Amino acid sequence: MTDARPRPDRPRAQPLDLLPAAFAVVAGAVVMIAYSVGQWRAMQVPSWDLAIFSELAKAYSRLEAPIVPIKGEGYNLLGDHFHPMLVLLGLVWRLFPSPLALLVLQDLLLAVSAWPLTRLATRLLGRLAATALGLFYVLSWGLQGAVAAQFHEIAFAVPLLAWAAVAFAERRWRSCALWLAPLVLVKEDLGLTVLMAGLAIALRGRQGDPQQPSRRGPAWWRRLDTVRLGLVVAAFGLGAFLLTVLVLLPALSPSGAWEYGLSGGGGNTSLVARLLSSEVKLQTLVMLVCTAGLIGLFSPWMALVLPTLAWRFLSSNEFYWGWQNWHYNAVLIPIALGALLDVVARLRARADAAPAAHSPSAPAPEASPPEAHRAPSGWSAVPMWARWAVGLGVVVPLVTGLATAPDLPLWDLRRPGYGAAPARAQAAARVMDTIPDGATVETDLGLLAYLVPEHTVYWVGTADVDADYVVVDSHSSAWGGNPPTDAASWATARSRTDATYELVLDTDGYQVARRISSDSA
């Protein structure tokens, strides 16, 4: 492959050149971890995802299949989404058996993804602009949404995409392919993202390199080599996607089918109308284009966003459409910023090639001063319009980040008392002290994740067994504003085995019912 040849756009790093990337990573990690710890202490529960992945991590730590009772009795989570990469969570849980550890791990993965992109920005634009872009990236809307939504498997995809984007911009095609390959182990739809990346590599190889040819064979052979690699990557991504959704997921899913195929609701509406049918979708597109600095749209790398946008916007689930919340936008951010930097790198490559193109073929006359034949170098060799385009590409995402900051989750850190224990913290502690370790528990969202480390936990919406204990949080959103008034009566009435429950704790909105008999026992 072509990775062996030296890169003029990758000079030897100076110690000070590492500071922007280091600052972005550390600042992002500190801010995101502070938010996650505060969220955990305040017992804010946006969804059941953290509890689900905590049960998965606990199973992997025991070298067991990822059976997650929260999704249903005997439910193998690999049949929900295909994410064998999450086996790595078993080691994390083994060392730190707490859902909070998963939150911190996600924060670190998102923060470290700023390193390669900020390093590339430093090489291309200098330290000041790179620092600004690095901070924008690590605190961007898509990553903030992922942090606020708590743990999700996409945390592993973000750094892979960041390193792949940098390798693409630097024309290190084999490295790019190697960073892309593990994405198919993170989530099934990312196989289509790999497909688009392979096509982008092939297209870039067909276009050729704006820099001077290297000594490694003729230019046409290198282009053919890159095109061939890109097509192999594309075929790998498509093959992995089809294998996963047509064979692996149906085999592992309790329903015998892929659970997340595109839902209906489009009726006779055209494809374009469904894609752009909502103001929310248009807002998401605008945010994405601004993150790419507008100029990123001219990079083939930007095509990687298309599969993710397609399955989200074609779905009838409105939660998939927005830009301010949830984790669905996280994978788009390294793609968009990578596309921006790819365009900048192409322009810079032309600048680096300019001196050689303008150098005289014969020595200058002795009477001429050396300066007379000195060709422009660096950005001074780039046309003025291109320099303005790069400036626009840097400014637009920064302005976007500043303008939208008050609308995003991390802004809550400025709120006095953020992360303080809630008024019901002592009552919640009493609930967890009431339930012995190893017991099975059926509960709503309120304490779902907090009960996972020491118990087998079921959710009230999917449980089909009679648990040892039932916990009802009258403040939980799971009840739709109509919680049971008596947890024991509610649990007894819906028992599958005619079990009887008694109320053993009723405090500050929490009720705990214990199973005392079962006629089928």
Side-chain angles (χ1 to χ4, degrees):
M1 301 303 172
T2 58
D3 286 15
R5 64 188 181 94
R7 300 292 173 183
D9 51 341
R10 293 201 70 181
R12 184 184 299 275
Q14 301 298 318
L16 290 178
D17 290 339
L18 301 177
L19 290 181
F23 182 68
V25 171
V26 172
V30 168
V31 172
M32 289 189 283
I33 290 174
Y35 182 90
S36 294
V37 171
Q39 191 184 46
W40 177 257
R41 284 174 49 83
M43 303 184 73
Q44 298 176 7
V45 184
S47 74
W48 65 350
D49 281 345
L50 179 60
I52 287 173
F53 289 113
S54 295
E55 284 197 327
L56 170 142
K58 183 167 70 171
Y60 277 140
S61 72
R62 299 170 177 172
L63 303 181
E64 299 172 352
I67 303 301
V68 176
I70 290 173
K71 294 282 290 185
E73 181 69 8
Y75 195 103
N76 188 328
L77 203 62
L78 283 174
D80 185 57
H81 285 302
F82 190 70
H83 39 51
M85 178 76 75
L86 296 191
V87 70
L88 299 174
L89 296 182
L91 177 60
V92 176
W93 191 270
R94 190 82 173 181
L95 298 173
F96 308 102
S98 167
L100 180 58
L102 271 61
L103 297 182
V104 173
L105 173 64
Q106 174 170 266
D107 296 336
L108 293 175
L109 288 170
L110 298 180
V112 79
S113 70
W115 178 268
L117 291 165
T118 310
R119 289 285 296 117
L120 176 59
T122 303
R123 292 191 289 270
L124 296 174
L125 300 167
R127 296 171 195 149
L128 182 61
T131 301
L133 281 176
L135 286 176
F136 160 76
Y137 169 82
V138 81
L139 301 177
S140 61
W141 50 285
L143 301 194
Q144 286 198 41
V147 172
Q150 300 188 336
F151 186 85
H152 197 270
E153 67 255 19
I154 53 86
F156 285 95
V158 174
L160 292 172
L161 284 167
W163 260 280
V166 171
F168 181 85
E170 295 179 340
R171 300 172 301 284
R172 295 182 288 112
W173 311 123
R174 182 170 55 186
S175 296
C176 183
L178 291 175
W179 284 112
L180 290 166
L183 287 173
V184 302
L185 303 178
V186 176
K187 194 165 175 276
E188 63 277 2
D189 64 284
L190 291 175
L192 296 179
T193 302
V194 175
L195 163 66
M196 299 307 296
L199 295 179
I201 292 173
L203 177 62
R204 181 55 55 80
R206 185 174 180 273
Q207 292 173 341
D209 196 326
Q211 291 183 337
Q212 288 181 316
S214 72
R215 298 178 181 177
R216 188 179 173 85
W220 67 268
W221 179 259
R222 296 197 316 277
R223 289 197 297 269
L224 179 61
D225 198 30
T226 303
V227 170
R228 183 168 56 245
L229 174 63
L231 294 178
V232 169
V233 171
F236 170 75
L238 179 60
F241 171 76
L242 294 176
L243 174 65
T244 302
V245 302
L246 297 179
V247 179
L248 299 180
L249 284 172
L252 295 169
S253 171
S255 66
W258 181 30
E259 301 284 353
Y260 296 92
L262 292 178
S263 58
N268 296 323
T269 307
S270 68
L271 179 63
V272 174
R274 287 185 66 186
L275 286 171
L276 304 176
S277 62
S278 166
E279 182 180 348
V280 176
K281 297 177 183 179
L282 294 176
Q283 290 173 352
T284 300
L285 289 177
V286 170
M287 289 297 297
L288 185 59
V289 170
C290 290
T291 300
L294 305 182
I295 65 173
L297 296 178
F298 294 94
S299 168
W301 191 253
M302 196 67 185
L304 272 69
V305 305
L306 295 179
T308 297
L309 291 179
W311 73 255
R312 288 173 56 189
F313 287 2
L314 290 174
S315 172
S316 60
N317 188 339
E318 297 182 9
F319 285 112
Y320 294 160
W321 302 347
W323 66 273
Q324 291 174 286
N325 303 301
W326 304 108
H327 52 268
Y328 303 108
N329 296 300
V331 297
L332 303 179
I333 304 301
I335 296 172
L337 189 61
L340 187 162
L341 294 176
D342 174 54
V343 173
V344 175
R346 293 280 287 180
L347 294 174
R348 183 57 186 260
R350 293 178 181 177
D352 291 338
H358 289 85
S359 60
S361 57
E366 294 184 2
S368 301
E371 290 80 4
H373 298 285
R374 184 173 298 165
S377 61
W379 285 109
S380 60
V382 176
M384 184 60 68
W385 68 265
R387 280 180 267 174
W388 278 102
V390 171
L392 178 69
V394 172
V395 170
V396 168
L398 299 183
V399 172
T400 302
L402 291 174
T404 58
D407 302 320
L408 295 172
L410 294 183
W411 196 258
D412 288 345
L413 287 169
R414 301 177 69 256
R415 178 166 47 86
Y418 175 80
R424 299 197 303 155
Q426 290 186 346
R430 287 187 61 190
V431 170
M432 289 184 279
D433 289 341
T434 299
I435 304 172
D437 293 351
T440 58
V441 186
E442 181 180 354
T443 187
D444 47 50
L445 293 179
L447 296 177
L448 195 67
Y450 296 83
L451 289 165
V452 167
E454 305 297 340
H455 310 90
T456 299
V457 184
Y458 298 86
W459 184 55
V460 292
T462 57
D464 54 4
V465 299
D466 289 338
D468 299 329
Y469 288 81
V470 172
V471 177
V472 172
D473 176 5
S474 62
H475 296 188
S476 173
S477 61
W479 303 105
N482 187 31
T485 56
D486 186 299
S489 299
W490 178 84
T492 300
R494 65 192 301 271
S495 171
R496 286 81 172 167
T497 60
D498 296 325
T500 302
Y501 286 80
E502 64 174 351
L503 194 66
V504 295
L505 183 65
D506 186 352
T507 177
D508 206 357
Y510 291 109
Q511 290 188 358
V512 180
R514 180 180 61 196
R515 188 179 63 184
I516 56 176
S517 68
S518 177
D519 291 347
S520 63

